[in-house]
Amino acid sequence: MRNLEAKFRLGDLDAARAAALVLGYTPSANFIQRDTFFVVARGKLKLREQPPAAWLIQYERDRESGLMLSRYEIVPVAEPESTREMLARALGVLAEVRKHRSLLTRRNVRLHLDRVETLGNFGEIEAVVDEESAKGARNGADSARAPVDELLGALGVGTGELIEVSYFELMTRR
């Protein structure tokens, strides 16, 4: 599966939520998430714990005209605690990120409004790339570009404000 993604700092999550609602985004859910990132040879691997569920997520990102094109796989995990402990022993842990996430959706686009422990407030847009309708488009991402640009504009986020790294990478730069 693939997403076209944008990540950026937000000063006011409530104002961002209001702007998204005007565009027709619908609040879907609020979550508490714990992401544990593991040392891997290629891409990134994280265990996302979002009680009562958990998933292993492996992904890689490429730059795509100012945004990030992410290829990912998600596998449900039945026993997150023992899986985290086993992977930590076998691979090593890079970092742990804890956040409160509010999710808003419109068609194939998800807007995450995140309060990340030790980092602050962020927005993250993920537009799922429809592989069938995107055939023939450059990298398949063109079909997802317009709604991402529309939302970035409504939020007042310029391309120079986009962040190209994961939350854990921001933590290590501090």
Side-chain angles (χ1 to χ4, degrees), residues 41-55:
R42 191 169 146 208
K44 293 184 173 77
L45 177 67
K46 67 183 172 186
L47 173 64
R48 168 158 294 158
E49 295 172 77
Q50 180 180 295
W55 306 268

Side-chain angles (χ1 to χ4, degrees), residues 3-10 61-70 101 109-114 122-127 144-145 147-149 151-153 155 157-159 161-165 167:
N3 282 338
L4 190 62
E5 300 180 0
K7 183 182 297 182
F8 42 90
R9 287 192 179 276
L10 281 173
R61 289 185 176 138
D62 296 319
R63 193 117 171 99
E64 174 64 32
S65 303
L67 302 177
M68 301 303 289
L69 185 61
S70 178
R101 170 168 281 178
V109 180
R110 298 182 298 258
L111 171 62
H112 305 146
L113 299 176
D114 294 338
F122 294 84
E124 191 173 74
I125 302 168
E126 295 178 344
R145 181 75 197 221
V148 172
D149 286 342
L151 184 51
L152 286 170
L155 297 174
V157 176
T159 56
E161 299 172 84
L162 298 179
I163 298 168
E164 299 178 14
V165 296
Y167 291 136

Side-chain angles (χ1 to χ4, degrees), residues 5-140:
E5 300 180 0
K7 183 182 297 182
F8 42 90
R9 287 192 179 276
L10 281 173
D12 186 342
L13 294 177
D14 291 331
R17 177 194 249 326
L21 292 173
V22 167
L23 289 179
Y25 282 78
T26 303
S28 296
N30 291 301
F31 310 108
I32 301 294
Q33 295 179 333
R34 174 185 181 176
D35 291 343
T36 305
F37 289 83
F38 300 96
V39 178
V40 291
R42 191 169 146 208
K44 293 184 173 77
L45 177 67
K46 67 183 172 186
L47 173 64
R48 168 158 294 158
E49 295 172 77
Q50 180 180 295
W55 306 268
L56 270 176
I57 304 170
Q58 189 279 329
Y59 64 99
E60 296 179 53
R61 289 185 176 138
D62 296 319
R63 193 117 171 99
E64 174 64 32
S65 303
L67 302 177
M68 301 303 289
L69 185 61
S70 178
R71 291 172 305 286
Y72 62 95
E73 292 184 51
I74 301 174
V75 177
V77 172
E79 298 181 34
E81 187 173 323
S82 58
T83 300
R84 182 177 6 88
E85 291 169 2
M86 180 185 67
L87 290 173
R89 281 191 310 273
L91 302 174
V93 173
L94 282 173
E96 184 177 282
V97 176
R98 294 175 183 260
K99 63 185 171 286
H100 178 269
R101 170 168 281 178
S102 293
L103 172 65
L104 293 93
T105 59
R106 187 182 79 178
R107 294 188 291 274
N108 68 319
V109 180
R110 298 182 298 258
L111 171 62
H112 305 146
L113 299 176
D114 294 338
R115 286 188 176 92
V116 183
E117 284 184 16
T118 75
L119 285 180
N121 296 336
F122 294 84
E124 191 173 74
I125 302 168
E126 295 178 344
V128 177
V129 174
D130 179 354
E131 300 299 336
E132 286 303 310
S133 67
K135 284 184 180 169
R138 186 184 74 246
N139 295 328

